């Protein structure tokens, strides 16, 4: 059995810092000595000073920072280079980077006798058995991404096969072990961590655009408009991702080329001009475009840059009151007309898309009758003055209105409405030949129907509104549906030319309607229309009538009821019911027919005995309750039919084929509807 030999794995860098790229930084001042040589010690002792570095930016070294290429070393604030832990070997070279806001420089520490690990490291086992080999495993070797690292199985030298990208993978965890000739593990595995040192290979990027900000005109100096932020994919713990912002360009560059300032660290854009210069109405363009640059390396010239455009809109506020273009406006309108008579124009320097520009008009004097209204034209901002109630020239030929204009939005505190925000409108009313007017309208009279022809109903009265023109008026009939009326064309007296009949189809709810014209002598003549409503009182001039006038009964009927009779009258109460029903001048024996009252409007006709099959005419006399009453005699045709085996035969007299029960049912239904 092969003796077990302790594996002394000396990792020259237990966490290897692989510099994939480097840039020479040439700046002055910097390190007073840029290259140092020391001998490889047996071991670097924790916190033991290795050497002292001297760096100066000639401005006091404010915010001086150091970076060492190996994470197990640091530079103290006094410039002393020390190890953070005990370590045996670090390679042949260490790089120390110093930086202030004003200067930066690189110093090199050459370790004489050290092994080169720039892109490789050496794994050493002084007591390694003869024939044993080194084996390397882990992510980047036999795990994806494979083949990045490899190890010399005889010497233990670990090397990189291709460039590394810290933004893809920042650290690799590898494992080293020794094996015999058969591949059996002798010692290990021992972890080996590879840390990829960031290089400044990513530019700042603005990802959240488009960037649009708004600031109110007249805002105080220092008003924050918006914030611009970029991202950098490099290591945020290094200056490679430490961004600084500045404004590269401003368009337009008036009234000042420096209207805005950007906080170099936060990216806040603020105003730097006085409120007076931030006046939207005096600016060449209320929209500014700024080219914003973000630079890494804390803004040093060696840093990478990225740019974006910030659009800043100067928003309007209501700092200008609307003003009428003139103090007085003139308008003319014909009497009786309605609609827009004049458009009032105003000027306002504010933004036409806002309530600071849109006008609101008010009539503050001269409109006691509310004959006028004013509305804003949304396209032109003009005030549209309208007549909404017709004007009368004879009452007033002139009107004077006082109108004020304001904005939809309130004015800013230091601006007010002045005399130019009011205007006077002089309105002249033009005389028009107006048609005569009937008074009253409608005209109403009440008369009994059937008054004698030629009876005077009334004298109409129409007056001419054009009192200053001294015109005459003539009258005529315009609409007289029944042709009952006549009007005197000179004095307007209306009389009858026919009997008035309340029961006429031209009368509705006892009211007859006629229209008359009044025509003046103007040029051209004007016409007015008047309405006459005649309420007709009822006269008992209509005799009642009965229904039905035909009935059937079977010759062997056990129920000798023949029919229920109803009566109707075109007149009104009290000239109608109660009705009186009688059998008039019977032509059959008295013991055959009988009529009995059911109620005020219906009676029952019945037989006292069965009759032979034949047709019988029974005169029925019905009388209304008018004073004097009116009577009507109507023959009731009774058909006595043969009713055998549910068949009704009335052929003997050509009678209707309806049985007595059906007629009784019809009559009862009519009775129920009253």
């Amino acid at each position: 059995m092969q003796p077990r030999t302790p594996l002394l794995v000396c990792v020259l860098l237990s966490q290897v810092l692989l510099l994939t790229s480097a840039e020479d930084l040439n700046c002055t001042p910097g390190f007073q000595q840029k290259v140092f040589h020391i001998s490889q010690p047996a071991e670097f002792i924790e916190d033991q000073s290795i050497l002292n570095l001297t760096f100066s930016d000639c401005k006091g070294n404010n915010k001086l920072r150091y970076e060492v290429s190996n994470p197990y070393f640091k530079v103290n604030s006094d410039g002393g280079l020390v190890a953070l832990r005990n370590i045996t070997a670090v390679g042949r070279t260490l790089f120390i980077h110093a930086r202030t806001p004003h200067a930066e420089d690189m110093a090199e520490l050459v370790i004489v006798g050290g092994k080169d690990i720039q892109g490789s490291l050496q794994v050493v086992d002084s007591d390694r058995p003869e024939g044993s080999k080194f084996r390397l495993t882990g992510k980047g070797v036999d795990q994806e991404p494979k083949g990045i690292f490899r190890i010399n199985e005889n010497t233990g030298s670990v090397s990189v096969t291709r460039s590394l990208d810290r933004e893809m993978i920042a650290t690799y965890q590898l494992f080293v072990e020794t094996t015999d000739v058969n591949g059996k593990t002798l010692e290990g595995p021992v972890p080996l961590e590879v840390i990829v040192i960031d290089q400044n290979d990513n530019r700042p990027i603005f990802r959240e655009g488009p960037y649009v900000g708004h600031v109110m005109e007249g805002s105080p100096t220092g008003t924050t408009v918006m914030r611009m932020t970029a991202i950098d994919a490099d290591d945020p713990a290094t200056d490679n991702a430490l961004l600084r912002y500045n404004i590269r360009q401003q368009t337009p560059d008036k009234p000042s080329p420096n209207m805005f300032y950007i906080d170099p660290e936060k990216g806040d854009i603020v105003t730097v001009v006085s409120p007076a210069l931030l006046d939207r109405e005096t600016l060449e363009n209320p929209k500014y475009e700024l080219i914003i640059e973000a630079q890494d390396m804390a803004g040093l010239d060696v840093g990478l840059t990225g740019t974006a455009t910030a659009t800043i809109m100067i928003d309007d506020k209501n700092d200008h009151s609307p003003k009428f273009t003139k103090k007085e406006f003139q308008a003319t309108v014909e009497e009786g007309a309605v609609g827009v008579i004049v458009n009032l124009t105003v000027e306002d320097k504010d933004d036409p898309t806002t309530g600071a520009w849109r006008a609101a008009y008010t009539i503050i004097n001269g409109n006691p009758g509310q004959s006028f209204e004013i509305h804003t034209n949304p396209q032109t901002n003009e005030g549209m003055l309208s007549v909404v109630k017709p004007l009368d020239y004879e009452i007033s030929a002139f009107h004077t209105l006082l109108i004020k204009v304001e904005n939809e939005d309130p004015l800013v505190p230091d601006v007010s409405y002045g005399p130019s925000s009011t205007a006077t409108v002089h309105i002249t009313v033009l005389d028009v030949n107006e048609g005569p007017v009937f008074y009253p309208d409608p005209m109403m009279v009440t008369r009994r129907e059937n008054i004698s022809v030629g009876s005077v109903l009334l004298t109409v009265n129409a007056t001419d509104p054009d009192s200053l023109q001294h015109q005459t008026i003539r009258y005529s009939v315009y609409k007289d549906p029944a042709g009952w009326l006549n009007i005197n064309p000179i004095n307007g007296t209306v009389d009858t030319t026919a009997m008035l009949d309340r029961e006429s189809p031209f009368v509705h709810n006892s009211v007859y309607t006629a229209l008359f014209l009044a025509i003046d002598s103007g040029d051209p003549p004007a016409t007015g229309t008047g309405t006459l409503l005649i309420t007709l009182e009822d006269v008992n001039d209509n005799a009642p009538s009965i229904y039905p006038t035909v009935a059937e009964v079977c010759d062997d009927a056990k129920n000798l009821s023949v029919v229920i009779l109803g009566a109707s009258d075109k007149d009104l109460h009290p000239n109608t019911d109660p009705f009186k029903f009688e059998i008039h001048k019977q032509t059959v024996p008295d013991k055959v027919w009988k009529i009995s009252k059911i109620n005020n409007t219906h009676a029952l006709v019945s037989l006292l005995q069965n009759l032979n099959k034949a047709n019988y005419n029974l005169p029925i006399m019905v009388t209304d309750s008018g004073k004097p009453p009116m009577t009507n005699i109507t023959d009731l045709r009774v058909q006595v039919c043969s009713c055998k085996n549910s068949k009704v035969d009335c052929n003997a007299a050509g009678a209707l084929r309806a049985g007595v029960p059906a007629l009784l049912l019809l009559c009862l239904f009519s009775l129920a509807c009253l």
Side-chain angles (χ1 to χ4, degrees):
M1 181 176 180
Q2 185 176 2
R4 181 177 180 82
T5 303
L7 176 61
L8 300 178
V9 179
C10 179
V11 180
L12 299 181
L13 289 177
S14 61
Q15 291 185 344
V16 181
L17 308 177
L18 299 177
L19 301 175
T20 60
S21 65
E23 296 182 4
D24 293 332
L25 302 179
N26 299 318
C27 63
T28 301
F31 283 106
Q32 302 303 307
Q33 181 179 340
K34 297 182 184 294
V35 180
F36 300 85
H37 293 81
I38 65 171
S39 298
Q40 170 70 53
E43 187 175 25
F44 290 97
I45 306 301
E46 181 180 354
D47 288 335
Q48 179 178 326
S49 178
I50 301 171
L51 56 85
N52 290 320
L53 302 165
T54 302
F55 176 88
S56 175
D57 65 355
C58 302
K59 292 188 178 181
N61 283 356
N62 185 31
K63 297 182 180 180
L64 173 61
R65 296 177 57 189
Y66 291 98
E67 294 177 2
V68 184
S69 61
N70 189 311
Y72 296 110
F73 292 85
K74 73 172 185 177
V75 178
N76 293 324
S77 59
D78 59 0
L81 176 67
V82 298
L84 296 177
R85 72 180 190 180
N86 296 338
I87 187 170
T88 56
V90 297
R92 293 183 178 180
T93 307
L94 285 179
F95 294 96
I96 300 95
H97 189 192
R99 177 183 302 151
T100 73
H102 305 290
E104 64 177 325
D105 201 359
M106 186 84 74
E108 179 182 2
L109 173 59
V110 178
I111 303 173
V112 180
K115 299 282 185 89
D116 186 8
I117 62 167
Q118 184 69 20
S120 67
L121 58 85
Q122 187 74 30
V123 180
V124 179
D125 184 0
S126 58
D127 297 326
R128 182 164 59 89
E130 186 178 353
S132 63
K133 299 181 181 299
F134 291 99
R135 182 163 62 193
L136 185 65
T137 59
K139 182 178 179 180
V141 182
D142 56 350
Q143 299 175 21
E144 293 295 340
K146 296 179 180 180
I148 294 178
F149 302 98
R150 65 186 178 187
I151 190 170
N152 187 307
E153 62 182 12
N154 296 317
T155 66
S157 175
V158 179
S159 60
V160 180
T161 63
R162 57 179 181 264
S163 297
L164 303 179
D165 188 349
R166 190 204 66 84
E167 285 70 47
M168 295 296 293
I169 302 176
T171 62
Y172 295 86
Q173 190 67 41
L174 308 180
F175 298 92
V176 180
E177 57 186 344
T178 58
T179 63
D180 60 19
V181 294
N182 296 319
K184 182 180 179 181
T185 300
L186 297 177
E187 292 288 340
V190 175
L192 174 63
E193 184 179 16
V194 178
I195 299 174
V196 182
I197 294 178
D198 184 43
Q199 297 297 304
N200 192 18
D201 56 351
N202 289 279
R203 293 182 178 275
I205 298 175
F206 292 90
R207 288 186 175 177
E208 298 178 358
Y211 297 91
V212 180
H214 293 263
V215 62
M216 189 70 68
E217 64 171 328
S219 295
T221 302
T223 300
T224 299
V225 180
M226 61 192 298
R227 172 169 288 187
M228 297 281 288
T229 55
I231 61 171
D232 194 309
D234 291 318
D235 187 354
T238 70
D239 284 355
N240 295 335
L242 185 59
L243 304 183
R244 294 292 182 266
Y245 301 93
N246 69 88
I247 300 175
R248 292 289 302 274
Q249 180 179 330
Q250 170 191 302
T251 305
D253 60 358
K254 292 180 176 55
S256 169
N258 299 305
M259 299 284 290
F260 306 95
Y261 165 80
I262 187 167
D263 187 303
E265 296 184 2
K266 296 180 181 179
D268 289 338
I269 300 176
V270 299
T271 62
V272 294
V273 295
S274 66
L277 287 181
L278 205 63
D279 185 353
R280 186 185 178 281
E281 287 72 39
T282 62
L283 295 177
E284 177 182 330
N285 189 337
K287 180 173 74 173
Y288 286 86
E289 290 190 349
L290 308 180
I291 304 300
I292 305 300
E293 179 184 75
Q295 188 170 26
D296 60 21
M297 300 298 288
L300 294 175
D301 292 341
V302 295
L304 302 178
T305 62
T307 60
T309 299
T311 300
I312 299 178
M313 306 298 299
I314 311 301
D315 292 337
D316 187 37
K317 65 180 179 180
N318 197 8
D319 56 350
H320 294 85
S321 62
K323 298 179 180 179
F324 284 101
T325 57
K326 51 186 178 180
K327 287 297 295 180
E328 295 185 349
F329 293 85
Q330 305 292 331
T332 57
V333 57
E334 292 184 348
E335 64 173 330
V338 294
V340 177
I341 59 174
V342 65
N343 290 319
L344 311 181
T345 54
V346 295
E347 293 178 344
D348 195 315
K349 295 181 180 180
D350 292 313
D351 185 357
T353 63
T354 66
W357 177 81
R358 290 190 291 271
Y361 297 87
T362 306
I363 302 173
I364 59 177
N365 196 14
N367 191 28
Q370 306 302 310
S371 298
F372 302 92
E373 287 184 359
I374 187 166
H375 300 280
T376 303
N377 185 319
Q379 281 74 41
T380 64
N381 217 28
E382 295 176 343
M384 300 182 295
L385 181 63
S386 302
V387 176
V388 294
K389 293 182 180 179
L391 304 176
D392 191 338
Y393 172 84
E394 283 70 32
I395 295 177
S396 177
F398 300 96
H399 296 267
T400 300
L401 305 181
L402 183 62
I403 297 177
K404 71 175 181 179
V405 61
E406 297 176 333
N407 288 131
E408 290 183 1
D409 292 348
L411 294 173
V412 297
D414 56 339
V415 177
S416 61
Y417 295 104
S420 297
S421 296
T422 60
T424 302
V425 182
H426 300 286
I427 303 167
T428 301
V429 182
L430 302 178
D431 189 19
V432 174
N433 187 24
E434 301 171 88
V437 178
F438 284 87
Y439 182 83
D441 190 25
M443 301 161 282
M444 294 181 286
V445 297
T446 300
R447 296 289 185 273
R448 290 173 62 86
E449 64 174 330
N450 298 338
I451 60 175
S452 60
V453 176
S455 298
V456 175
L457 299 179
L458 80 164
T459 298
V460 302
N461 179 35
T463 59
D464 193 340
D466 302 303
S467 57
L468 302 179
Q469 298 185 22
H470 305 291
Q471 300 179 123
T472 59
I473 297 176
R474 295 182 62 84
Y475 299 95
S476 65
V477 176
Y478 180 42
K479 287 186 179 180
D480 178 17
W484 292 342
L485 306 175
N486 175 65
I487 189 170
N488 186 302
I490 305 299
N491 61 22
T493 299
V494 179
D495 56 13
T496 62
T497 60
M499 297 284 288
L500 306 183
D501 184 5
R502 192 197 67 82
E503 290 74 38
S504 168
F506 299 107
V507 177
H508 302 284
N509 297 322
S510 299
V511 176
Y512 180 72
T513 302
L515 300 179
F516 298 95
L517 296 180
I519 307 170
D520 66 20
S521 57
D523 185 18
T527 302
T529 303
T531 301
L532 173 62
L533 302 178
I534 305 174
T535 300
L536 296 175
E537 296 178 340
D538 187 40
V539 173
N540 192 18
D541 57 351
N542 290 277
S545 60
I546 64 167
Y547 59 90
T549 57
V550 177
E552 289 183 357
V553 65
C554 295
D555 57 1
D556 59 353
K558 294 180 180 180
N559 183 356
L560 297 180
S561 296
V562 177
V563 66
I564 294 177
L565 295 178
S568 62
D569 195 316
K570 294 181 179 180
D571 293 318
L572 297 177
H573 187 78
N575 296 322
T576 56
D577 62 272
F579 298 113
K580 180 179 179 182
F581 295 89
E582 299 175 278
I583 298 175
H584 181 66
K585 296 181 181 180
Q586 297 185 8
T587 58
V588 294
D590 293 341
K591 300 299 183 180
V592 175
W593 303 96
K594 179 182 178 182
I595 188 166
S596 305
K597 178 180 178 180
I598 297 177
N599 55 29
N600 289 343
T601 58
H602 290 77
L604 173 64
V605 177
S606 58
L607 288 169
L608 299 177
Q609 64 184 38
N610 291 110
L611 296 178
N612 294 327
K613 179 180 178 182
N615 290 337
Y616 301 88
N617 288 324
L618 184 63
I620 302 297
M621 184 173 65
V622 59
T623 305
D624 63 24
S625 297
K627 294 181 180 181
M630 295 195 71
T631 299
N632 181 33
I633 300 175
T634 304
D635 284 341
L636 172 65
R637 184 181 180 189
V638 180
Q639 299 173 325
V640 179
C641 306
S642 174
C643 305
K644 303 295 184 182
N645 299 324
S646 301
K647 293 183 178 180
V648 178
D649 182 9
C650 300
N651 286 337
L656 296 175
R657 302 288 177 168
V660 171
L663 291 174
L664 286 174
L665 181 62
L666 175 62
C667 293
L668 288 173
F669 177 78
S670 300
L671 178 62
C673 293
L674 294 177

